[in-house]
Amino acid sequence: MDYEKYLKQLSKEYPTVEDTISEIVRLKALSVLPKETEYFFSDLHGEYTSFTRILKSSSGNLRQKISQKFKYQMAEEEMNELANLIYEPENFITLKIKSGKFTNDWIRATIVRLLDLLKMVTSKYSRTKVRGKMPAVYKDLIDEMLHIDYVELNKQEYFDTIVDTIIEIHASKEIIITLCHIIQDTSVDTLHIVGDIYDRGPRPDIIMDVLMEHKNVDIQWGNHDIIWMGAALGSRPLVACVVRIALGYNNFDSLEDGYGINLRPLYSFAMETYREDPCEVFMPKIVDENKFYSVNKYATAKMHKAISIIQFKLEGQAIDRNPEFAMEGRKSFNFVDFEKGIYKAEDGKEYPMLDKNFPTVDPKNPYELTEGEVEVIEALNTSFRHSLKMQEHLKFLLDKGSVYKVTNKNLLYHGCVPMNEDGAFRVLKYDNEYYSGRSLMDFFDKKAREASYIPRSYYSKEREKVLDLYWYMWCGPISPLFGKHKMSTFENFFIGRKLPISKEISDPYFTLSKEEDHVDRILREFDLDPECGHIINGHIPVKYKDGQKPISANGKMYVIDGGISKAYQPTTGIAGYTLIYNSHYLALAEHSNYEVMQSVHGAYTPKLYITERFPQRLLVKDTDKGPIMEEKINDLTNLLDAYKQGTIKENR
């Protein structure tokens, strides 16, 4: 009876025999089309120029398709020009117009070439899907042009008239730009972002805007994403942390121009409180110059120190609120002898402090904020929560994001699955419950969403406790997003980065995950078949220049953080990886930095390494969509039988 009730409900969507037959035929036809192309990015860290260029070029794949299509028709320079047009159509056409080369002949040739290329990149998709990629205003026109056989005599004049009319009514620029955007969009069908959109680079907000325009995207939260999400929700420790990292990289643009965060109260407080303090250990790293908001490095250092002290105090309070975090050792002021200016470590060793000036710290109550510090953090917290763009991006991250994702036999996550030395999954005890492996990931995913549903209009211990879990995900010892035994921010500033006490010990996962047996255990934990599954991971930059490889565990583990962030490129030696998963193969694209991409113009293609070639072409029915489509076809077939037998009446 339940199934009959379901079929009756299904009949409302397919009310006639003809409707049902049409859908069965459509689904069966779709199931044997080639698998859609998936692209995997990781650790973007605000580098919007590199990211958008790689995305628009579909990791260099578009330039290769241009060569395949036109190598006997166009010179190399012309193919490069066509690639540049597709990557940056608005800028390219503007330059073309200024140079007087936006001629009718160029327009005609370009429209034909773009249509030919669009036919090529959409050949494996249904016509309905391709139409869905077209803007409504030009959908019918472009669909008609795309399917005209303009070589056939009967259609030549028809096609020529369409193009001539476009030129006559001065719609050429808009049509060409639209064609370029459709080519970009259809070349990257599914986009997976394996964490860390934020921090270090200048404009993560631009990356978020680009992602929100993409029709099929998912995000696996990274530790640098989770702190921005927590800050947007109102976590004071994470508000301080986000601001500290931005100032540490001299990155005012991401805060002030990107999200409208008001730093004036912090600036005023820092300049007054640390007026005579050189704040030498807090001098910012200058990777990019600010374009919109420039502050001299000496003032930035004072702001950097002021917010760092506030952060350490707020973190101490969070640890006190959450004894189950077992992070008492991270209450750094507990180990400071303020009179002698030394740091007494847990092992009894003493270290001289590099900075001994703590005008706002009361040694008897070191985690209590001063009145001025309270005003600063409350002003910043208000600014974060009232930023409309930040709240919009937070909602998108919650809607499209997760701690991990299982898709098409692949397991995606940013950080790690915390493990012990013997390969057993580490256990977190919280509220008298125990979590490990997959249940640990599910726990944090659930809590991250739970925080967004607790009303923000009033302060509550319940809300603060959930927000503290965001902070734990950032730096907790059993956090799947962090993966280290401690965050050594305090030691780095006040004791020295190169001393053993400042070393952050990585979770055993990062060694064990290079071995096939341990990867198989993780895959089975997430109900994946080790014979055909893969883990796709980010977080730890692959030091290519030191001989490290992005693939391990007999081809089952991919680490695709190769250094798209400028801050990491001296360490990695390259500018990031993109993983490509199409119907023929898995491949890694190894990228050069943005300056190289720009210098060679449209000729840029990354180094492509095919890592796994499939014995036969994968079809849609071989993906996660296959069983869903098969089940629906079965239901529709039963509905069709019910119509024919008269047990369910058609609604004509």
Side-chain angles (χ1 to χ4, degrees):
M1 289 297 294
D2 287 342
Y3 188 64
E4 183 180 343
K5 185 177 180 180
Y6 166 72
L7 289 181
K8 287 181 178 178
Q9 191 67 28
L10 190 62
S11 71
K12 294 179 181 179
E13 189 175 354
Y14 305 98
T16 68
V17 166
E18 293 79 8
D19 291 327
T20 309
I21 290 173
S22 178
E23 184 63 7
I24 292 171
V25 171
R26 187 185 75 84
L27 290 172
K28 286 200 170 186
L30 287 176
S31 72
V32 295
L33 286 174
K35 173 196 173 298
E36 299 156 339
T37 302
E38 300 172 67
Y39 284 82
F40 303 78
F41 289 83
S42 173
D43 297 85
L44 306 176
H45 286 298
E47 297 290 351
Y48 71 98
T49 51
S50 294
F51 169 68
T52 53
R53 184 58 179 255
I54 293 170
L55 182 62
K56 288 175 180 179
S57 69
S58 62
S59 291
N61 193 39
L62 266 177
R63 183 61 181 81
Q64 294 175 334
K65 289 188 179 296
I66 289 171
S67 292
Q68 292 171 18
K69 184 68 180 175
F70 300 114
K71 65 180 178 180
Y72 298 119
Q73 304 170 38
M74 298 170 66
E76 194 73 19
E77 187 177 337
E78 289 179 297
M79 289 191 285
N80 292 342
E81 185 180 85
L82 182 60
N84 272 328
L85 168 66
I86 294 168
Y87 302 160
E88 302 286 348
E90 293 87 350
N91 293 340
F92 187 95
I93 290 176
T94 298
L95 293 173
K96 205 77 176 171
I97 292 171
K98 286 181 179 179
S99 66
K101 296 179 180 178
F102 194 68
T103 64
N104 292 349
D105 287 342
W106 183 87
I107 292 168
R108 290 189 184 93
T110 299
I111 288 176
V112 170
R113 287 168 178 169
L114 290 173
L115 288 168
D116 283 345
L117 187 62
L118 183 56
K119 286 179 183 178
M120 181 182 186
V121 299
T122 60
S123 60
K124 66 179 183 179
Y125 299 132
S126 69
R127 185 168 180 175
T128 301
K129 179 165 185 170
V130 177
R131 279 180 60 86
K133 302 277 188 180
M134 299 175 185
V137 65
Y138 292 127
K139 183 175 292 186
D140 292 336
L141 172 61
I142 292 175
D143 184 58
E144 183 72 9
M145 294 172 72
L146 194 60
H147 293 90
I148 294 173
D149 184 358
Y150 43 78
V151 178
E152 186 182 328
L153 286 175
N154 292 338
K155 294 292 180 73
Q156 274 185 3
E157 187 175 354
Y158 176 54
F159 180 81
D160 289 343
T161 301
I162 291 175
V163 176
D164 288 343
T165 304
I166 289 170
I167 293 171
E168 288 170 12
I169 63 175
H170 304 292
S172 310
K173 179 179 177 180
E174 289 75 13
I175 293 295
I176 289 173
I177 289 173
T178 300
L179 287 171
C180 291
H181 286 316
I182 296 171
I183 290 170
Q184 289 178 18
D185 197 21
T186 52
S187 297
V188 180
D189 187 79
T190 302
L191 186 58
H192 306 287
I193 307 298
V194 193
D196 278 3
I197 296 165
Y198 285 89
D199 287 335
R200 298 191 175 91
R203 295 298 298 272
D205 60 296
I206 294 177
I207 295 176
M208 287 297 298
D209 287 339
V210 170
L211 294 178
M212 290 178 71
E213 292 175 1
H214 203 279
K215 291 182 173 62
N216 196 3
V217 62
D218 56 72
I219 299 164
Q220 292 71 59
W221 302 319
N223 53 325
H224 286 275
D225 303 319
I226 214 72
I227 56 172
W228 282 74
M229 293 166 66
L233 284 165
S235 165
R236 289 164 179 79
L238 292 183
V239 167
C241 186
V242 165
V243 174
R244 175 188 63 78
I245 292 173
L247 296 180
Y249 283 87
N250 191 44
N251 189 353
F252 287 82
D253 282 352
S254 66
L255 292 173
E256 296 194 292
D257 191 58
Y259 287 109
I261 302 303
N262 180 16
L263 297 177
R264 178 59 57 180
L266 173 60
Y267 174 83
S268 300
F269 172 80
M271 296 305 291
E272 177 65 27
T273 305
Y274 299 96
R275 181 190 301 274
E276 305 301 328
D277 188 339
C279 301
E280 291 177 357
V281 300
F282 290 91
M283 284 295 173
K285 300 174 185 176
I286 301 178
V287 180
D288 291 289
E289 295 290 345
N290 291 291
K291 293 182 179 179
F292 301 99
Y293 294 89
S294 182
V295 178
N296 75 67
K297 65 180 182 179
Y298 302 103
T300 301
K302 296 181 193 305
M303 295 170 70
H304 189 196
K305 181 173 181 178
I307 197 64
S308 297
I309 299 299
I310 291 172
Q311 178 188 325
F312 299 140
K313 289 184 176 185
L314 291 169
E315 288 179 338
Q317 295 174 19
I319 292 167
D320 285 340
R321 285 193 297 269
N322 299 274
E324 60 266 73
F325 287 175
M327 293 178 68
E328 190 69 20
R330 300 316 304 146
K331 292 178 65 178
S332 299
F333 288 134
N334 287 8
F335 305 98
V336 176
D337 185 323
F338 292 95
E339 284 189 16
K340 295 181 180 179
I342 60 173
Y343 184 92
K344 297 180 179 180
E346 289 180 286
D347 61 4
K349 290 184 179 179
E350 295 184 354
Y351 299 87
M353 302 281 284
L354 299 176
D355 185 326
K356 303 173 185 178
N357 185 33
F358 296 96
T360 68
V361 179
D362 177 0
K364 295 179 181 178
N365 193 3
Y367 302 101
E368 182 179 12
L369 297 175
T370 66
E371 185 177 332
E373 288 173 326
V374 169
E375 290 177 0
V376 167
I377 196 62
E378 290 307 318
L380 287 170
N381 191 29
T382 299
S383 194
F384 271 75
R385 292 175 64 182
H386 288 183
S387 167
L388 294 179
K389 177 172 274 193
M390 181 168 287
Q391 296 305 317
E392 181 183 30
H393 288 174
L394 168 67
K395 185 178 185 306
F396 183 78
L397 284 164
L398 287 167
D399 289 345
K400 296 292 185 179
S402 56
V403 171
Y404 71 93
K405 184 177 180 66
V406 175
T407 177
N408 291 334
K409 303 175 183 176
N410 294 317
L411 172 60
L412 285 57
Y413 52 79
H414 175 74
C416 66
V417 182
M419 303 176 86
N420 295 314
E421 294 286 353
D422 62 359
F425 298 125
R426 294 183 71 182
V427 177
L428 174 71
K429 181 183 178 183
Y430 187 85
D431 280 350
N432 294 316
E433 298 288 340
Y434 296 88
Y435 305 95
S436 65
R438 187 172 189 170
S439 70
L440 179 71
M441 312 280 260
D442 288 334
F443 166 75
F444 282 116
D445 193 285
K446 177 185 176 183
K447 290 297 182 180
R449 299 178 199 287
E450 188 177 300
S452 67
Y453 289 105
I454 299 175
R456 304 189 198 186
S457 56
Y458 61 91
Y459 172 85
S460 71
K461 289 185 177 180
E462 179 190 4
R463 188 165 196 277
E464 189 170 49
K465 192 173 177 65
V466 175
L467 286 177
D468 285 343
L469 282 167
Y470 270 86
W471 177 76
Y472 186 90
M473 282 191 274
W474 160 244
C475 62
I478 313 181
S479 164
L481 277 68
F482 179 46
K484 295 180 182 178
H485 86 300
K486 69 176 183 179
M487 182 82 74
S488 298
T489 310
F490 187 92
E491 291 89 336
N492 290 338
F493 285 141
F494 292 103
I495 302 171
R497 294 178 181 275
K498 296 183 179 180
L499 293 176
I501 193 173
S502 299
K503 183 176 176 59
E504 298 176 349
I505 301 171
S506 295
D507 190 278
Y509 162 90
F510 294 101
T511 299
L512 299 177
S513 62
K514 293 179 172 60
E515 301 174 16
E516 187 174 4
D517 288 349
H518 294 294
V519 169
D520 288 351
R521 180 185 292 113
I522 295 171
L523 289 169
R524 284 192 291 267
E525 174 75 2
F526 290 83
D527 298 326
L528 285 168
D529 183 356
E531 293 302 313
C532 54
H534 307 87
I535 295 174
I536 300 168
N537 205 169
H539 192 46
I540 301 297
V542 177
K543 298 177 182 177
Y544 174 85
K545 69 181 183 65
D546 294 340
Q548 292 185 4
K549 303 295 182 184
I551 309 173
S552 58
N554 195 22
K556 297 179 181 180
M557 167 63 73
Y558 285 79
V559 180
I560 59 171
D561 178 5
I564 195 172
S565 171
K566 289 179 183 177
Y568 289 140
Q569 287 171 17
T571 301
T572 62
I574 58 172
Y577 294 105
T578 311
L579 181 64
I580 303 166
Y581 181 22
N582 62 26
S583 59
H584 293 291
Y585 54 70
L586 271 170
L588 277 171
E590 178 189 297
H591 295 284
S592 300
N593 62 38
Y594 183 70
E595 287 71 23
V596 172
M597 295 183 206
Q598 287 290 78
S599 67
V600 295
H601 304 294
Y604 172 74
T605 54
K607 294 179 182 177
L608 192 71
Y609 303 97
I610 296 176
T611 58
E612 185 176 335
R613 193 179 290 276
F614 308 128
Q616 58 188 30
R617 193 173 196 186
L618 296 181
L619 306 178
V620 172
K621 66 180 180 181
D622 301 316
T623 70
D624 290 346
K625 293 179 181 179
I628 298 170
M629 296 172 80
E630 186 177 350
E631 183 178 7
K632 189 167 184 181
I633 289 169
N634 182 62
D635 291 337
L636 287 167
T637 301
N638 289 333
L639 176 61
L640 183 61
D641 290 341
Y643 280 147
K644 291 178 178 179
Q645 294 165 10
T647 55
I648 295 178
K649 303 297 183 184
E650 294 181 76
N651 185 17
R652 292 184 178 275

